[in-house]
Amino acid sequence: WDMSMYGASSDPAPTVVEVSDLTMRFGRKVVHEHLDLSVRQGEILAIVGGSGSGKTTLLREMALLQPPTSGRVRILGNEICGLGEQQTLRVRRRIGVLFQNGALFGGLNVLQNVSAPLREHTRLSDTLIDEIARVKLSLVGLTAADGLLYPNQLSGGMRKRAALARAIALDPELLFLDEPTSGLDPLSADAFDELVLDLKAALDPTVVLVSHDIDTLWRVADRVVLLGEGRLLAEGSMQALARSTDPAVVRFFQGPRGRAAQASV
């Protein structure tokens, strides 16, 4: 189909993730079938779709956490299928992931959680690692005192911020966010959206996020891809998708929640 109708750029930035002919099956269930998708350097790309459309699975495939059944995934110039252990580790150092539930280590305080990737992947001194971790906490709006708290002492919003600080510990070129505002109240979700934009301005990573939050899509996404029926149904800016007459796009973006989100922009 003609992608220009969805606002695709005629002169796109370099591609940092390229998914080609991707198929993913769990037993008899086909999650993705011959799916193609590119992520451009410097953009915030949002992946959306109904429940069971494979949004998180696709993110995990792109983040080297889930090998596909077949097809190709190329990340930061590396074909990930067949990568050796050391090569995989080098690519992973250039990637940050915020998991939906935060996935913080319960036995470590916040500062130790943020320090963990630095201790694993660098040979820096403990003093310097702690200093860098405190800088990352500051970047996400947490204080040195917050760094001494444990995950079970944090509010939902603070937990997300702590997990984001850990995700950016190594200054990733590519940042994956899985449902970053899920479970947050509207004010905390708004604040997290602003945080993502602030981090984008400060560190300039390429960002891929999975979200069902229409408000987040309008606020932060440069481009949105809609998954369904095992394939990519549509892609474009939110402005372009909001004008689309494609039935699948209309159902997802132009219902009552979608209209309310658009009106609040």
Side-chain angles (χ1 to χ4, degrees):
W1 70 91
D2 180 7
M3 292 309 301
S4 63
M5 69 175 289
Y6 290 118
S9 170
S10 59
D11 186 22
T15 298
V16 293
V17 180
E18 187 165 4
V19 173
S20 306
D21 199 28
L22 185 79
T23 295
M24 187 70 199
R25 295 189 185 93
F26 294 110
R28 293 184 178 180
K29 179 175 173 57
V30 178
V31 181
H32 305 132
E33 191 165 26
H34 307 301
L35 190 147
D36 297 314
L37 174 66
S38 294
V39 183
R40 301 168 194 147
Q41 185 176 29
E43 74 174 334
I44 299 180
L45 175 76
I47 302 171
V48 303
S51 179
S53 60
K55 304 181 294 294
T56 293
T57 300
L58 179 58
L59 182 144
R60 289 178 62 84
E61 289 162 338
M62 290 193 287
L64 283 78
L65 297 170
Q66 177 86 51
T69 304
S70 64
R72 298 173 57 204
V73 181
R74 189 173 178 84
I75 299 174
L76 299 169
N78 297 272
E79 191 81 43
I80 66 168
C81 295
L83 272 187
E85 187 177 339
Q86 288 302 313
Q87 292 169 301
T88 300
L89 195 60
R90 280 196 290 271
V91 175
R92 282 195 171 133
R93 287 184 188 130
R94 302 166 68 189
I95 292 172
V97 183
L98 169 65
F99 298 97
Q100 182 174 351
N101 63 1
L104 295 171
F105 302 117
L108 303 181
N109 66 28
V110 169
L111 186 69
Q112 290 166 335
N113 265 280
V114 178
S115 301
L118 292 157
R119 295 192 194 286
E120 181 180 356
H121 294 294
T122 75
R123 297 180 180 178
L124 301 174
S125 69
D126 288 347
T127 302
L128 185 53
I129 284 174
D130 285 346
E131 186 177 330
I132 293 170
R134 280 190 284 269
V135 169
K136 302 303 181 183
L137 288 175
S138 176
L139 278 173
V140 301
L142 294 177
T143 66
D146 295 328
L148 302 178
L149 300 175
Y150 284 80
N152 64 0
Q153 298 175 296
L154 304 177
S155 67
M158 289 175 71
R159 197 174 299 118
K160 294 273 189 180
R161 287 171 182 265
L164 184 58
R166 186 178 65 183
I168 63 170
L170 294 169
D171 292 332
E173 298 165 57
L174 187 54
L175 184 60
F176 293 98
L177 310 177
D178 189 8
E179 297 283 8
T181 59
S182 70
L184 300 184
D185 63 80
L187 285 178
S188 296
D190 287 349
F192 202 90
D193 289 341
E194 290 301 317
L195 174 58
V196 170
L197 292 173
D198 289 345
L199 284 177
K200 183 71 179 65
L203 304 177
D204 198 29
T206 301
V207 179
V208 179
L209 68 93
V210 166
S211 184
H212 67 280
D213 189 329
I214 301 290
D215 288 326
T216 292
L217 301 179
W218 275 105
R219 283 199 189 92
V220 309
D222 298 312
R223 190 163 57 101
V224 179
V225 297
L226 174 62
L227 298 184
E229 302 164 19
R231 60 192 178 90
L232 195 156
L233 297 176
E235 68 176 289
S237 67
M238 282 298 289
Q239 290 83 356
L241 291 169
R243 296 192 301 267
S244 173
T245 57
D246 183 303
V249 177
V250 170
R251 278 195 303 274
F252 193 87
F253 292 103
Q254 298 176 25
R257 288 177 67 248
R259 289 195 296 272
Q262 184 176 358
S264 70
V265 175

